[in-house]
């Protein structure tokens, strides 16, 4: 995955008492927040915590504290962090406490699209999400980003089997999109997708991944 250039790491090797600085769980998040709002309006970075011991996300707890600031990360069933830190929390540099043994936890980072309506998508928004993500990769990755495939694909990922999905052409004709198990795949810059006016999904996806 393209995001592998930026982060795919284990943590806990060097720290004792299962504690690490909270910012270490969110590489490049501050870089993302420092982008102009118009340069990140259609995409975000998604962070997922996972256990290499098979511990379920619901049993993973990460709390943090720094002077007068304290709180906890909220994770969904797949370990996705639902409340990444804002700039104020990052500046406070809190210490995170993880309720799992050292050397057993990892983090993955992915690029995800953000659409106002995740069932009826304007292709221009999909293209913008890909362009913004590619620009961010160049900004953060520098020379290394030249060796990584560009984002070209929007993948709608569902809980359970994916529903039917269509590309609606300017003529009104509907073309089925590729469905693979729990995901729908859409490449807006493909030649056969350039006259599409709308993407329609049978239901809202769990998340929308950007990939090469």
């Amino acid at each position: 995955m393209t995001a592998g250039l930026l982060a795919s790491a284990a943590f806990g090797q060097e720290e004792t008492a299962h504690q690490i600085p909270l910012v270490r769980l969110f590489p490049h998040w501050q870089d993302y927040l420092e982008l102009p709002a118009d340069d990140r309006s259609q995409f975000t970075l998604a962070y997922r915590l996972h256990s290499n011991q098979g511990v379920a996300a619901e049993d993973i707890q990460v709390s943090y504290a720094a002077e007068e600031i304290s709180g906890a990360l909220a994770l969904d069933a797949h370990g996705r962090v639902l409340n990444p830190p804002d700039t104020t929390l990052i500046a406070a540099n809190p210490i995170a406490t993880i309720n799992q043994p050292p050397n057993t936890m990892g983090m993955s980072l992915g690029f995800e699209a953000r659409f106002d309506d995740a069932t009826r998508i304007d292709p221009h928004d999909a293209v913008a999400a890909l362009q913004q993500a590619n620009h961010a990769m160049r900004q953060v990755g520098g020379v290394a980003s030249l060796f990584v495939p560009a984002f070209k694909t929007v993948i709608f990922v569902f809980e359970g089997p994916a529903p039917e999905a269509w590309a609606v052409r300017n003529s009104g004709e509907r073309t089925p999109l590729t469905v693979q198990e729990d995901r729908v795949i859409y490449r807006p810059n493909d030649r056969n997708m350039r006259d599409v006016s709308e993407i329609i999904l049978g239901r809202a996806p769990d998340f929308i991944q950007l990939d090469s």
Side-chain angles (χ1 to χ4, degrees):
M1 185 172 68
T2 306
L5 170 69
L6 296 183
S8 180
F11 48 84
Q13 291 91 334
E14 301 175 357
E15 295 76 12
T16 59
H18 323 296
Q19 294 183 325
I20 61 172
L22 182 68
V23 293
R24 278 196 54 190
L25 300 180
F26 299 94
H28 301 294
W29 181 242
Q30 186 164 1
D31 296 325
Y32 171 81
L33 294 177
E34 290 175 350
L35 290 171
D38 288 344
D39 289 350
R40 54 183 170 91
S41 59
Q42 300 295 150
F43 87 101
T44 189
L45 302 182
Y47 297 84
R48 289 176 173 79
L49 301 181
H50 56 86
S51 165
N52 59 27
Q53 302 296 308
V55 177
E58 63 186 18
D59 296 322
I60 298 172
Q61 298 176 6
V62 182
S63 59
Y64 56 82
E67 297 182 355
E68 298 180 357
I69 296 177
S70 63
L73 298 182
L75 308 180
D76 69 10
H78 304 288
R80 187 182 193 275
V81 179
L82 302 177
N83 57 338
D86 58 17
T87 53
T88 300
L89 186 54
I90 290 173
N93 196 28
I95 297 298
T97 300
I98 306 169
N99 73 335
Q100 300 297 317
N103 308 317
T104 65
M105 297 297 300
M107 175 277 300
S108 62
L109 162 61
F111 285 68
E112 295 185 4
R114 300 195 305 185
F115 301 134
D116 291 335
D117 184 345
T119 60
R120 304 182 75 96
I121 295 104
D122 185 332
H124 295 95
D125 291 339
V127 170
L130 294 170
Q131 290 176 337
Q132 290 179 5
N134 283 319
H135 177 71
M137 282 288 291
R138 291 192 296 271
Q139 292 284 98
V140 175
V143 175
S145 67
L146 299 176
F147 301 95
V148 177
F151 292 107
K152 298 178 181 179
T153 308
V154 180
I155 304 175
F156 303 94
V157 184
F158 297 83
E159 190 71 40
E164 291 184 300
W166 303 269
V168 182
R169 303 190 179 279
N170 295 332
S171 63
E173 176 189 358
R174 288 190 176 195
T175 300
L177 291 176
T178 300
V179 175
Q180 296 179 352
E181 298 181 348
D182 64 343
R183 54 198 60 202
V184 172
I185 297 173
Y186 170 48
R187 297 183 177 89
N189 292 315
D190 280 3
R191 185 183 301 274
N192 65 341
M193 289 286 131
R194 292 178 184 174
D195 66 337
V196 169
S197 61
E198 187 178 34
I199 297 298
I200 298 179
L201 305 176
R203 69 175 190 277
D206 192 39
F207 62 93
I208 305 169
Q209 176 183 333
L210 301 179
D211 212 330
S212 59

